[in-house]
Amino acid sequence: MSGSKPNHKLAGKPARQLLFSEALHQKRPIPMTTETYTSSPSTQPVTTSDKEQSTTMERILHEITAVGRRIEGIDASISSLTLETKSMRLDIASFQTRVTGLEHRMGSLETQMATSQDRDQDLLYLKSKLTDLEDRSRRDNICLLGIPENEEGTDIQAFLSSTLPKLTSLNFDPPLEFQRVHRVGPKRSDTSLRPRLIIASLLRHNQTRQTLQTARNHGPFWIGQHDIRITADYSKDTNERRKAFLALRPRLRQLEMKYGLFDPARMWVTKNGVSRDFYNPEELKLFLDSFHRQPTDSTSTGCPLDVSGVTRTTELLSQDCRVKALSAMTQTPAKGAET
C-alpha cells in the first residue's frame, strides 16, 4: 500500500471522501471513523426550530383535545335538547287537545249566552208587562197617609164615605162606594208612632181620578192637627222610578226647563220649545248631563268669566262685570212647570 501511486483524481477532496473513494476503488470495507459517525444526520444536535415545532405540535394536540371535549359537551346538550323537544311536543299535543276542548266549551257558552240574553230581554219585557198590569190593577186605589190610628172606628168604609167629601170639598154623585178598604201592616198600640197607611179601592174610576186631581191641586188636608195626604197607588217598580224622577227636579229648575211627571212614571221635559218624554230616570240623567258638559256662554252677562259657578271674589272683576255678576248671582232660577 505504501508503494502505490497516489490517485490524482482524488486530490483536493476531504479526507473522509478520500477514504470512502479509496475503499470503493480497492474494494475494501468503509472504515467507521469517529468523524464519519459524528457527521451522521441522525446524531446531529437538536436545534431551536425543532423545539418550536415540538411546542407547536403539543399546543395543537392540546387544542384538538379541548375541541373534542367541547364537541362531546355539545353532543350531550343536543341529546338533552332532543329529549326536551320530544317532551315539548307531547305537551303541545296535550295543549292542543285542551284548547280544542276549550273552544268547544266556549262555543257552547256563547250559544248559552246568546240564549241567556234573549231570555233576559224576554224577562225585562215580562217584567214591564207585569208592572203595567199591576199598575192597572191599582188604578182605582187611593192611599191616605196621616190618618190617626183608631180614628176610623169599627167601620172604615163608612168613615171614608163621610170623611173624603169633607176633606176634598167634593160632592160625589152618586155617593162614594168602595170595593175594599184596609190599613197596611199590623195594628200599632203605640200612638206616638207614625199611623199606618190606608188603601181604599173605589168602585168608580172617575171618582178616583177626581179625588186624586183635587188632592194634587189643593192638598194636603187636615184632620184636627194631623196632616193628611192622598196619593195614587203604584207598584214598587213604578214608585222607585217616580222617586228617581222627582230627585232630578232641582237640576231641571237649574237648567230652566219646564217639566211634568205624569202617570204612572213618565217625565215630560221642554227646553227651548222642544219637548221630550222620558220613561227611564237614567235616560233623563244622561240628557241633563249633556247640558252640563256644554261650554257656558259667557256673553249672557258680558263678562269673560262664567258667573253661574263663580268661586273668585268680585274684587277680581272689573267694575262693569262686577255689577252684572252680582245681579246674575242674586237672581232666583226659574221654576219648572210641575204637574
Side-chain angles (χ1 to χ4, degrees), residues 223-281:
I223 296 180
Q225 297 181 351
H226 299 283
D227 180 9
I228 309 301
R229 297 180 181 272
I230 302 175
T231 63
D233 186 22
Y234 300 107
S235 63
K236 180 180 178 181
D237 182 68
T238 302
N239 272 324
E240 291 177 353
R241 285 191 292 142
R242 288 179 65 88
K243 289 179 181 179
F245 276 129
L246 294 176
L248 296 174
R249 287 184 298 178
R251 297 183 62 181
L252 291 168
R253 296 192 188 102
Q254 183 182 4
L255 294 172
E256 299 182 356
M257 293 184 179
K258 295 181 179 181
Y259 62 89
L261 183 59
F262 297 92
D263 291 337
R266 176 174 64 90
M267 181 67 83
W268 168 80
V269 177
T270 299
K271 176 68 173 179
N272 297 329
V274 180
S275 300
R276 289 188 59 180
D277 290 330
F278 295 92
Y279 295 89
N280 190 339

Side-chain angles (χ1 to χ4, degrees), residues 84-105:
E84 292 180 359
T85 303
K86 291 181 179 179
S87 177
M88 290 177 64
R89 287 179 179 176
L90 295 176
D91 293 339
I92 291 173
S94 176
F95 289 155
Q96 288 178 347
T97 304
R98 294 176 62 183
V99 168
T100 303
L102 290 174
E103 288 178 351
H104 288 300
R105 293 179 62 185

Side-chain angles (χ1 to χ4, degrees), residues 1 7 10 13-33 36:
M1 294 290 296
N7 191 354
L10 299 177
K13 293 183 179 181
R16 185 178 57 186
Q17 293 183 1
L18 290 174
L19 291 174
F20 184 73
S21 300
E22 290 178 356
L24 289 176
H25 182 71
Q26 297 178 6
K27 298 181 180 180
R28 290 185 291 107
I30 298 173
M32 299 299 293
T33 62
T36 59

